[in-house]
Amino acid sequence: MPDVEKSLGVQPPAVDDMPNKVKPKEPSPYEVNSSERAEDTAEKESGGSMRDYFRIFRYADRFSCLLYTIALVGALAVGAALPLMTLVFGSSTASLNDYSVGQGNSQQFTDKINHLVLYFVYLFVARFVIGYVATLCICIAATRTTCSLRKAFLESTLRQEVWHFDKQGNGSAATQVTTNGNRINQGIAEKLFTCVQAISLFFSAYIVALAVQWKLALITMSIVPAIALIIGGCIALDAPLEARIVRIYSRAAVLAQDAISSIKTIHAFGAQQKIVNSYDEYLQTAHKEGNKKSLIYGVLFSIQTFLVMSGTALAFWEGFRLFQSGEIDSVGPVFTVVLSVTLGATSVLLITPQFQSITNASSAAAELFSIIDKLSLLDPLSSDGIQPTSCTGEIVIRDLRFAYPMRPTAQVLQDLSLSIPAGKTTALVGPSGCGKSTLVGLLERWYQPTSGQILLDGHDIANYNTKWLRSNIRLVQQEPILFQGTVFQNVAKGLVGEQLSCSEERQMELVQKACRASNAHDFIEKLPEGYNTQVGERASMLSGGQRQRVAIARSIISDPKVLLLDEATSALDPRAERVVQNALQHVSANKTTLIIAHKLATIMAADNIAVMANGNVIEQGNHSELLERDGLYAAMVRAQDLGAEAGEPEFREVSDEGGYVKEKLDRTVSLQRTQSEAMPKASEREVEQLTSGTVGYSLGKCIIVMLTEHSDLYLWYLVIAMGSLIGGGTYPAQAILFSRLINVYTLEGSEAKQQANFYALMFFVLALANLFGYFCIGWACNTIGQAITHRYRREMIERTVHFDQDFFDRPENSSGAVTSKLSSVPTALQELMSQNLGLILNVVVNVVSSSALGIAYGWKLGLTIVFGGLSVLVAAGYSRIRLDQKLEASTEDQFASSAGLATEAVTSIRTISFLTLEALILREYSQALEDIVAKVIRSLVLTLIPYALSQSVDFLIMALGFWYGSRLIASGEYNVTQFFVIFVAVVFGGQGAAQFFAYTTSITKAKVAANYILWLRTVKASICETDKNQDRGPSGDGSIGFENIEFRYKQRDASKVLRGISMKIEPGTHAAFVGPSGCGKSTIISLLERFYDPTSGRITLNGDDISLMSPYSYRRYMSLVQQEPPLYLGSVRENIAIGLEYEPSDEEVHEACRQANALEFVSSLPEGLNTPCGSKGLQFSGGQRQRIAVARALIRKPRLLLLDEATSALDTQSERIVQKALDEAASSRTTIAVAHRLSTIRHANVIFVMEDGKIAEIGTHEELQRLKGRYYAMCLAQSLDQA
């Protein structure tokens, strides 16, 4: 019965709970970023204490509290059932012994045993019913409690100010709700039940033992402090080691995350192997530390079994002494005490695994509470603030200054003053980044201005109630977000106040009226189900123009006084644009309207046009006045006219969508997105291959594949096998010794004493064998585990960093997801391939040998108990765990659907906020959760029956064994010894086997993990070194040619980014690409670096197609400097040399620093070149990081220098320094620069002006100025910046 399987419960804390954020090694003097620091402290605090655990229960309502009370009382009762069983068991043993000595006839004997067997049945019924009811109560209570905690969490999340969502990974709130919700649910449901049950078992076992025979009980109980001391000591030694290992792994994780999140840089510099090597250094250190745990594991694995068995030997030996002196009248009390003490000792180990779940729940709760407790600086749900009955819509902006909270140093608005008269249309135009859309964010109160004020009807908007303000100021965005549901539901989301209480028919009238006004009614009527057509996720069923018109209807349905149009028509084709434009003019009549537009044609009719540049208004007036002034506005108009005259594709290009007004609506049945071409099957397969995450192998196949890989560990596996043979063979050996020891109590005189001493000693020898066997298992498991986790972690990072960019573009393979897999997958495999394999073997040996012994000793009883008992026990243990997992999975799945709602809300928080939908979302979420809770409860009612049965069925099996055994003994077929050997071997062996299933949870996790690793091996990079290309590199300096290049990203399959680009750049030239954002400039750099290959066309270097060259040799020819260059953990020197295959001399590094203008500041650092950079290099300012990156690029002596907005993120001072370094670097090699600031490229030999994935103008700065086209307008806008 004592079982070592349980001692595996003392597992080190799972590595999944590892903090993924690690502070840079040195605290930085430069770190100004307070939000980072705040997040770090939040991280530190959310360790999760028991206080957080108990705080969860505050979310339980009265009914849940009642359920918890019933459940916990039930748990106490169930825990006490086992020790009561030992009383019955003891009495039965005594009766058998009495009969064998010849006391009483067979009739009395059978009656007595039948009477005792009934007690077993009563215990079974009681334990089954109480167990079922209590488990059901606790599961229902837990689901309800978690449910209200989830609601509270979403509510606090939605109450946060909008800029709170800028800093978190978007949607992380939603994943928090799901994963943390599930972890909490597990920790307060049956895991808590089992924990209370184990505590009850612990106390009741000792109470029973002391009540039956206090002297013997106390002597035997001496093993309990010994177990506690030794296990406590081992854990105390293990904890600091484990903490060190976790710390090393978290450092490694930071390195991996930094590398994977900037995988382009790693590829550009060919630094894959360097990253793998430094990651491996961490792994080696962790491996060394891990090996120190072997001794501790050996002791931990073996001490429990050894002490319990020694205790049993001692109890029988001392019990016999007490029997002889007459203090005990039969073997019954001895047996009861032995079983009770054993139960008490093993109950401690039942608690440990549950504790893991409870600590998990408390740390998960701490994370949720950190948001729940966060005070919102601008609560959209609060009722404070003035709410006038009417609103005229007069807006005045005075001296407004603003910088985004995430970038406090970059001022976006500088003393902006503007008047927007009521009932008139005002337009804002200007180059991108001048602060137009920022103004919208401030009017919607998504942000608070740094200084200055915005007045609406004479009051500062900060004084109004947020919800009232947002209901009166409505917004139409460039890319409107629609929600899942029907067209009607989407438009109706714009209803406010009174309108919400109208009847459904009245609401439909309002919706149709709004749709007519926005020119959407006709196309909606033609949809398959009219207004009740589902729009699909992210409204993918509608075209851009259709989505936009539905969004306009949604914004005007509440008849707001102020309408903000942020590029409302820029994503549309001319035909749709005209339609939408008419709609907008129609709906904006007599409303205060603020239009932001890039296409000037759309705002010519505005009453007032304000031209912005650099966060300020530089000219204003109406269209004709501004044209007369001949300033920036006039230049912008000319640039756009010019394009149109030159037959620019501006108006035809997008019209592949425009056709839908005529043709597509005739085939309304196919609601496909009109713009995207159907994805070719092949690329669909490729995408699936990049995201499947599994190869679908069975567990057995995975184990065989993994075993064949580690032939050097076979010796250790042999050690585990030997140990498992000893461990598994213990049960049959124990059975024989038990039967002999019980028999001793029927003997007389010196023979009895001799036998008692001998068998007690044999029992102790068996204990020693176990000590040896399990010690070996513990040692070997740790050795194997450490080796395996090291190998797989290394293999995973090695494979991952060599994958194509396409792999990382998939959201499933984001740097965070891949990094967490790097730690969770090897950990799961480490458990599977070490202790779990030993366990499986142990159980197999146990079941086979116990059954064989039982059947060999007496086939009638043997077969009955093996098939009627053992198989049922094992099946019950197995089904119990399967049900456990099914319970967890079904709850998780059902809650996942509600998480979709939360994710949608959090990722489109701006839409939610300007439509003031927070309260509605919360209502919908509550409704969804309540439906789920009802579903979960219905499924629990059935699932828990087999679960409760599996926990109590062993009582029935004991009843069967005693009943049938007593018949066989009474009829004289079997003697008592025979009966005991069979009974103890099979029943106790079966219980040992059943307990094993408690560890299968980690086995299923391991199956997923093994499949993930095997899947990683099937992912192949298409841009990689092959036998064909490994010797092919650039053949010297030559021109770079683009021949009809088309390109689209795999995952954004709908639109082409580059549309047929052809050009040639001669060697030694300085070429520049400029154009509005999204026109494909950075894509050109990505194609030149071969992060991607073009969809069609080819790029040549010196006439050779670059796709046939080795990517390594080809990339060695060039260097890249990006906009926000990543630095990695390690010293400045290591960062500069990351792209070199050798260790550079100090002279080389200094020379590179000098060329990059970085030498002065690097020399002034405390440790010079050896100063550590910390994670992402955050201790340096932007300009310093940028110069280190330039040095990193120049030390490779590249022939081609690629600059992707290399200075755009810097302030003027740093920009000047970095620009000077870049200009010097460009003088001796081919340079291709992408820039927003035209001043940085005005001296380029050739400038390509891009628009919409095509080249619109080519020439030098002077030639392009003379053209008076797009480039001229951009120059004008920017020279005004500097004015």
Side-chain angles (χ1 to χ4, degrees), residues 53 75 79 156 167 198 209 212 268 314 347 517 595 689 708 777 781 849 931 936 978 985-986 992 1085 1166 1173 1240 1274:
Y53 182 72
S156 327
K167 63 170 178 270
V212 169
L314 177 69
S347 71
I595 304 182
Q689 166 58 17
T708 48
I777 292 183
C781 278
S849 56
D931 297 348
V936 167
Q978 227 176 337
V986 180
I1085 299 279
C1173 290
T1240 59
M1274 287 161 71

PDB file of all heavy atoms in Angstrom, residues 53 75 79 156 167 198 209 212 268 314 347 517 595 689 708 777 781 849 931 936 978 985-986 992 1085 1166 1173 1240 1274:
ATOM      1  N   TYR A  53      -4.849  33.742  -2.569  1.00  0.00           N
ATOM      2  CA  TYR A  53      -5.668  32.537  -2.723  1.00  0.00           C
ATOM      3  C   TYR A  53      -6.982  32.691  -1.954  1.00  0.00           C
ATOM      4  O   TYR A  53      -8.062  32.438  -2.473  1.00  0.00           O
ATOM      5  CB  TYR A  53      -4.890  31.314  -2.240  1.00  0.00           C
ATOM      6  CG  TYR A  53      -5.661  30.034  -2.419  1.00  0.00           C
ATOM      7  CD1 TYR A  53      -5.854  29.511  -3.699  1.00  0.00           C
ATOM      8  CD2 TYR A  53      -6.205  29.355  -1.342  1.00  0.00           C
ATOM      9  CE1 TYR A  53      -6.564  28.342  -3.893  1.00  0.00           C
ATOM     10  CE2 TYR A  53      -6.925  28.185  -1.527  1.00  0.00           C
ATOM     11  CZ  TYR A  53      -7.095  27.682  -2.808  1.00  0.00           C
ATOM     12  OH  TYR A  53      -7.816  26.526  -2.996  1.00  0.00           O
ATOM     13  N   ALA A  75     -15.593  16.388   2.224  1.00  0.00           N
ATOM     14  CA  ALA A  75     -14.192  15.986   2.049  1.00  0.00           C
ATOM     15  C   ALA A  75     -13.646  15.400   3.353  1.00  0.00           C
ATOM     16  O   ALA A  75     -12.908  14.407   3.355  1.00  0.00           O
ATOM     17  CB  ALA A  75     -13.363  17.177   1.616  1.00  0.00           C
ATOM     18  N   GLY A  79     -12.327  11.591   3.695  1.00  0.00           N
ATOM     19  CA  GLY A  79     -10.966  11.325   4.179  1.00  0.00           C
ATOM     20  C   GLY A  79     -10.962  10.362   5.350  1.00  0.00           C
ATOM     21  O   GLY A  79     -10.064   9.514   5.482  1.00  0.00           O
ATOM     22  N   SER A 156     -12.890  45.638 -14.698  1.00  0.00           N
ATOM     23  CA  SER A 156     -11.771  46.551 -14.386  1.00  0.00           C
ATOM     24  C   SER A 156     -10.961  46.842 -15.635  1.00  0.00           C
ATOM     25  O   SER A 156     -10.443  47.938 -15.799  1.00  0.00           O
ATOM     26  CB  SER A 156     -10.811  45.964 -13.356  1.00  0.00           C
ATOM     27  OG  SER A 156     -11.489  45.180 -12.477  1.00  0.00           O
ATOM     28  N   LYS A 167       0.350  49.833 -23.795  1.00  0.00           N
ATOM     29  CA  LYS A 167       1.623  49.288 -23.332  1.00  0.00           C
ATOM     30  C   LYS A 167       1.567  47.781 -23.177  1.00  0.00           C
ATOM     31  O   LYS A 167       2.563  47.114 -23.205  1.00  0.00           O
ATOM     32  CB  LYS A 167       2.068  49.957 -22.037  1.00  0.00           C
ATOM     33  CG  LYS A 167       1.169  49.771 -20.853  1.00  0.00           C
ATOM     34  CD  LYS A 167       1.893  50.300 -19.596  1.00  0.00           C
ATOM     35  CE  LYS A 167       1.040  50.200 -18.364  1.00  0.00           C
ATOM     36  NZ  LYS A 167       0.225  51.377 -18.113  1.00  0.00           N
ATOM     37  N   ALA A 198      -7.100  14.785   2.098  1.00  0.00           N
ATOM     38  CA  ALA A 198      -5.819  14.224   2.550  1.00  0.00           C
ATOM     39  C   ALA A 198      -5.518  14.660   3.980  1.00  0.00           C
ATOM     40  O   ALA A 198      -5.011  13.874   4.789  1.00  0.00           O
ATOM     41  CB  ALA A 198      -4.710  14.671   1.616  1.00  0.00           C
ATOM     42  N   ALA A 209      -5.548   4.829  14.828  1.00  0.00           N
ATOM     43  CA  ALA A 209      -4.426   4.004  15.304  1.00  0.00           C
ATOM     44  C   ALA A 209      -4.267   4.134  16.811  1.00  0.00           C
ATOM     45  O   ALA A 209      -4.111   3.132  17.529  1.00  0.00           O
ATOM     46  CB  ALA A 209      -3.149   4.433  14.601  1.00  0.00           C
ATOM     47  N   VAL A 212      -7.043   2.369  18.755  1.00  0.00           N
ATOM     48  CA  VAL A 212      -7.009   0.894  18.735  1.00  0.00           C
ATOM     49  C   VAL A 212      -5.916   0.351  19.663  1.00  0.00           C
ATOM     50  O   VAL A 212      -6.146  -0.572  20.433  1.00  0.00           O
ATOM     51  CB  VAL A 212      -6.789   0.400  17.292  1.00  0.00           C
ATOM     52  CG1 VAL A 212      -6.481  -1.090  17.275  1.00  0.00           C
ATOM     53  CG2 VAL A 212      -8.032   0.674  16.469  1.00  0.00           C
ATOM     54  N   ALA A 268      20.025  39.082 -40.726  1.00  0.00           N
ATOM     55  CA  ALA A 268      20.800  40.036 -41.523  1.00  0.00           C
ATOM     56  C   ALA A 268      22.279  39.938 -41.182  1.00  0.00           C
ATOM     57  O   ALA A 268      23.139  40.088 -42.041  1.00  0.00           O
ATOM     58  CB  ALA A 268      20.294  41.449 -41.261  1.00  0.00           C
ATOM     59  N   LEU A 314       8.824  -2.945  12.039  1.00  0.00           N
ATOM     60  CA  LEU A 314       8.893  -2.631  13.472  1.00  0.00           C
ATOM     61  C   LEU A 314       7.550  -2.930  14.147  1.00  0.00           C
ATOM     62  O   LEU A 314       7.490  -3.525  15.237  1.00  0.00           O
ATOM     63  CB  LEU A 314       9.248  -1.145  13.635  1.00  0.00           C
ATOM     64  CG  LEU A 314       9.283  -0.619  15.076  1.00  0.00           C
ATOM     65  CD1 LEU A 314      10.463  -1.241  15.817  1.00  0.00           C
ATOM     66  CD2 LEU A 314       9.410   0.896  15.106  1.00  0.00           C
ATOM     67  N   SER A 347      -0.571   9.967   3.229  1.00  0.00           N
ATOM     68  CA  SER A 347      -1.499  11.080   2.951  1.00  0.00           C
ATOM     69  C   SER A 347      -0.741  12.385   2.758  1.00  0.00           C
ATOM     70  O   SER A 347      -1.171  13.260   2.022  1.00  0.00           O
ATOM     71  CB  SER A 347      -2.494  11.234   4.084  1.00  0.00           C
ATOM     72  OG  SER A 347      -1.834  11.737   5.226  1.00  0.00           O
ATOM     73  N   ALA A 517     -29.294  56.830 -45.089  1.00  0.00           N
ATOM     74  CA  ALA A 517     -28.505  58.060 -45.079  1.00  0.00           C
ATOM     75  C   ALA A 517     -27.066  57.784 -45.482  1.00  0.00           C
ATOM     76  O   ALA A 517     -26.409  58.611 -46.105  1.00  0.00           O
ATOM     77  CB  ALA A 517     -28.555  58.696 -43.693  1.00  0.00           C
ATOM     78  N   ILE A 595     -13.088  66.739 -40.567  1.00  0.00           N
ATOM     79  CA  ILE A 595     -12.657  65.715 -41.519  1.00  0.00           C
ATOM     80  C   ILE A 595     -11.136  65.688 -41.560  1.00  0.00           C
ATOM     81  O   ILE A 595     -10.504  66.752 -41.662  1.00  0.00           O
ATOM     82  CB  ILE A 595     -13.165  66.020 -42.946  1.00  0.00           C
ATOM     83  CG1 ILE A 595     -14.678  66.166 -42.947  1.00  0.00           C
ATOM     84  CG2 ILE A 595     -12.730  64.934 -43.896  1.00  0.00           C
ATOM     85  CD1 ILE A 595     -15.255  66.430 -44.332  1.00  0.00           C
ATOM     86  N   GLN A 689       1.150  24.332 -42.586  1.00  0.00           N
ATOM     87  CA  GLN A 689       2.367  23.674 -42.125  1.00  0.00           C
ATOM     88  C   GLN A 689       3.090  24.537 -41.088  1.00  0.00           C
ATOM     89  O   GLN A 689       3.680  24.039 -40.147  1.00  0.00           O
ATOM     90  CB  GLN A 689       3.257  23.412 -43.357  1.00  0.00           C
ATOM     91  CG  GLN A 689       4.679  23.042 -43.067  1.00  0.00           C
ATOM     92  CD  GLN A 689       4.795  21.799 -42.209  1.00  0.00           C
ATOM     93  OE1 GLN A 689       3.870  21.024 -42.074  1.00  0.00           O
ATOM     94  NE2 GLN A 689       5.943  21.620 -41.600  1.00  0.00           N
ATOM     95  N   THR A 708      15.233   6.381 -29.246  1.00  0.00           N
ATOM     96  CA  THR A 708      16.298   6.020 -30.184  1.00  0.00           C
ATOM     97  C   THR A 708      17.322   7.148 -30.303  1.00  0.00           C
ATOM     98  O   THR A 708      18.450   6.917 -30.726  1.00  0.00           O
ATOM     99  CB  THR A 708      15.723   5.744 -31.590  1.00  0.00           C
ATOM    100  OG1 THR A 708      14.834   6.820 -31.914  1.00  0.00           O
ATOM    101  CG2 THR A 708      14.959   4.446 -31.634  1.00  0.00           C
ATOM    102  N   ILE A 777      16.765   4.842  -9.000  1.00  0.00           N
ATOM    103  CA  ILE A 777      15.807   5.457  -9.930  1.00  0.00           C
ATOM    104  C   ILE A 777      15.903   6.984  -9.834  1.00  0.00           C
ATOM    105  O   ILE A 777      15.965   7.683 -10.839  1.00  0.00           O
ATOM    106  CB  ILE A 777      14.359   5.003  -9.621  1.00  0.00           C
ATOM    107  CG1 ILE A 777      14.200   3.526  -9.952  1.00  0.00           C
ATOM    108  CG2 ILE A 777      13.353   5.820 -10.419  1.00  0.00           C
ATOM    109  CD1 ILE A 777      12.793   3.001  -9.757  1.00  0.00           C
ATOM    110  N   CYS A 781      16.941   9.189 -12.889  1.00  0.00           N
ATOM    111  CA  CYS A 781      15.915  10.070 -13.476  1.00  0.00           C
ATOM    112  C   CYS A 781      16.443  11.482 -13.605  1.00  0.00           C
ATOM    113  O   CYS A 781      16.228  12.145 -14.624  1.00  0.00           O
ATOM    114  CB  CYS A 781      14.671  10.110 -12.589  1.00  0.00           C
ATOM    115  SG  CYS A 781      13.612   8.708 -12.875  1.00  0.00           S
ATOM    116  N   SER A 849       3.455  -9.043 -11.902  1.00  0.00           N
ATOM    117  CA  SER A 849       3.951  -9.972 -10.883  1.00  0.00           C
ATOM    118  C   SER A 849       2.882 -10.244  -9.818  1.00  0.00           C
ATOM    119  O   SER A 849       2.721 -11.380  -9.369  1.00  0.00           O
ATOM    120  CB  SER A 849       5.237  -9.436 -10.245  1.00  0.00           C
ATOM    121  OG  SER A 849       4.994  -8.142  -9.729  1.00  0.00           O
ATOM    122  N   ASP A 931     -24.375  31.261 -19.310  1.00  0.00           N
ATOM    123  CA  ASP A 931     -24.748  30.101 -20.131  1.00  0.00           C
ATOM    124  C   ASP A 931     -23.710  28.998 -19.972  1.00  0.00           C
ATOM    125  O   ASP A 931     -24.044  27.818 -19.853  1.00  0.00           O
ATOM    126  CB  ASP A 931     -24.818  30.491 -21.622  1.00  0.00           C
ATOM    127  CG  ASP A 931     -25.896  31.532 -21.864  1.00  0.00           C
ATOM    128  OD1 ASP A 931     -26.697  31.749 -20.931  1.00  0.00           O
ATOM    129  OD2 ASP A 931     -25.925  32.134 -22.954  1.00  0.00           O
ATOM    130  N   VAL A 936     -21.643  23.814 -17.964  1.00  0.00           N
ATOM    131  CA  VAL A 936     -20.627  23.077 -17.203  1.00  0.00           C
ATOM    132  C   VAL A 936     -21.310  22.258 -16.109  1.00  0.00           C
ATOM    133  O   VAL A 936     -20.994  21.086 -15.893  1.00  0.00           O
ATOM    134  CB  VAL A 936     -19.602  24.060 -16.584  1.00  0.00           C
ATOM    135  CG1 VAL A 936     -18.745  23.361 -15.562  1.00  0.00           C
ATOM    136  CG2 VAL A 936     -18.730  24.649 -17.674  1.00  0.00           C
ATOM    137  N   GLN A 978      -2.727 -18.889   2.303  1.00  0.00           N
ATOM    138  CA  GLN A 978      -2.974 -18.795   0.858  1.00  0.00           C
ATOM    139  C   GLN A 978      -3.845 -17.574   0.544  1.00  0.00           C
ATOM    140  O   GLN A 978      -3.551 -16.779  -0.343  1.00  0.00           O
ATOM    141  CB  GLN A 978      -3.741 -20.057   0.438  1.00  0.00           C
ATOM    142  CG  GLN A 978      -3.191 -20.724  -0.799  1.00  0.00           C
ATOM    143  CD  GLN A 978      -3.961 -22.015  -1.061  1.00  0.00           C
ATOM    144  OE1 GLN A 978      -4.552 -22.590  -0.140  1.00  0.00           O
ATOM    145  NE2 GLN A 978      -3.955 -22.461  -2.288  1.00  0.00           N
ATOM    146  N   ALA A 985      -1.513  -9.370  -2.328  1.00  0.00           N
ATOM    147  CA  ALA A 985      -0.789  -9.111  -3.571  1.00  0.00           C
ATOM    148  C   ALA A 985      -1.681  -8.361  -4.548  1.00  0.00           C
ATOM    149  O   ALA A 985      -1.302  -7.311  -5.079  1.00  0.00           O
ATOM    150  CB  ALA A 985      -0.323 -10.426  -4.194  1.00  0.00           C
ATOM    151  N   VAL A 986      -2.878  -8.897  -4.779  1.00  0.00           N
ATOM    152  CA  VAL A 986      -3.681  -8.334  -5.860  1.00  0.00           C
ATOM    153  C   VAL A 986      -4.313  -6.998  -5.467  1.00  0.00           C
ATOM    154  O   VAL A 986      -4.232  -6.027  -6.202  1.00  0.00           O
ATOM    155  CB  VAL A 986      -4.757  -9.346  -6.301  1.00  0.00           C
ATOM    156  CG1 VAL A 986      -5.591  -8.748  -7.420  1.00  0.00           C
ATOM    157  CG2 VAL A 986      -4.092 -10.625  -6.770  1.00  0.00           C
ATOM    158  N   GLY A 992      -1.670   0.289  -5.711  1.00  0.00           N
ATOM    159  CA  GLY A 992      -0.398   0.917  -6.104  1.00  0.00           C
ATOM    160  C   GLY A 992      -0.446   1.346  -7.560  1.00  0.00           C
ATOM    161  O   GLY A 992      -0.026   2.448  -7.920  1.00  0.00           O
ATOM    162  N   ILE A1085      13.634  46.829 -48.681  1.00  0.00           N
ATOM    163  CA  ILE A1085      14.802  46.456 -47.862  1.00  0.00           C
ATOM    164  C   ILE A1085      14.717  44.976 -47.467  1.00  0.00           C
ATOM    165  O   ILE A1085      15.687  44.229 -47.560  1.00  0.00           O
ATOM    166  CB  ILE A1085      14.855  47.341 -46.590  1.00  0.00           C
ATOM    167  CG1 ILE A1085      15.003  48.821 -46.964  1.00  0.00           C
ATOM    168  CG2 ILE A1085      15.964  46.888 -45.656  1.00  0.00           C
ATOM    169  CD1 ILE A1085      16.384  49.275 -47.294  1.00  0.00           C
ATOM    170  N   PRO A1166      31.404  53.101 -17.932  1.00  0.00           N
ATOM    171  CA  PRO A1166      32.198  52.611 -16.785  1.00  0.00           C
ATOM    172  C   PRO A1166      33.154  51.485 -17.162  1.00  0.00           C
ATOM    173  O   PRO A1166      34.300  51.468 -16.740  1.00  0.00           O
ATOM    174  CB  PRO A1166      31.144  52.131 -15.791  1.00  0.00           C
ATOM    175  CG  PRO A1166      29.816  52.191 -16.497  1.00  0.00           C
ATOM    176  CD  PRO A1166      29.953  53.156 -17.611  1.00  0.00           C
ATOM    177  N   CYS A1173      24.968  45.384 -22.009  1.00  0.00           N
ATOM    178  CA  CYS A1173      23.898  46.180 -22.620  1.00  0.00           C
ATOM    179  C   CYS A1173      22.554  45.960 -21.944  1.00  0.00           C
ATOM    180  O   CYS A1173      21.633  46.730 -22.129  1.00  0.00           O
ATOM    181  CB  CYS A1173      23.735  45.806 -24.087  1.00  0.00           C
ATOM    182  SG  CYS A1173      25.114  46.345 -25.066  1.00  0.00           S
ATOM    183  N   THR A1240      17.509  64.074 -44.763  1.00  0.00           N
ATOM    184  CA  THR A1240      18.594  63.091 -44.598  1.00  0.00           C
ATOM    185  C   THR A1240      19.012  62.487 -45.928  1.00  0.00           C
ATOM    186  O   THR A1240      20.056  61.860 -46.009  1.00  0.00           O
ATOM    187  CB  THR A1240      18.152  61.944 -43.665  1.00  0.00           C
ATOM    188  OG1 THR A1240      16.999  61.311 -44.246  1.00  0.00           O
ATOM    189  CG2 THR A1240      17.792  62.434 -42.289  1.00  0.00           C
ATOM    190  N   MET A1274       6.039  66.908 -50.522  1.00  0.00           N
ATOM    191  CA  MET A1274       6.609  66.362 -49.284  1.00  0.00           C
ATOM    192  C   MET A1274       7.677  67.312 -48.748  1.00  0.00           C
ATOM    193  O   MET A1274       7.765  67.579 -47.548  1.00  0.00           O
ATOM    194  CB  MET A1274       7.217  64.974 -49.547  1.00  0.00           C
ATOM    195  CG  MET A1274       6.169  63.892 -49.759  1.00  0.00           C
ATOM    196  SD  MET A1274       6.833  62.443 -50.591  1.00  0.00           S
ATOM    197  CE  MET A1274       7.844  61.754 -49.334  1.00  0.00           C
TER     198      MET A1274
END
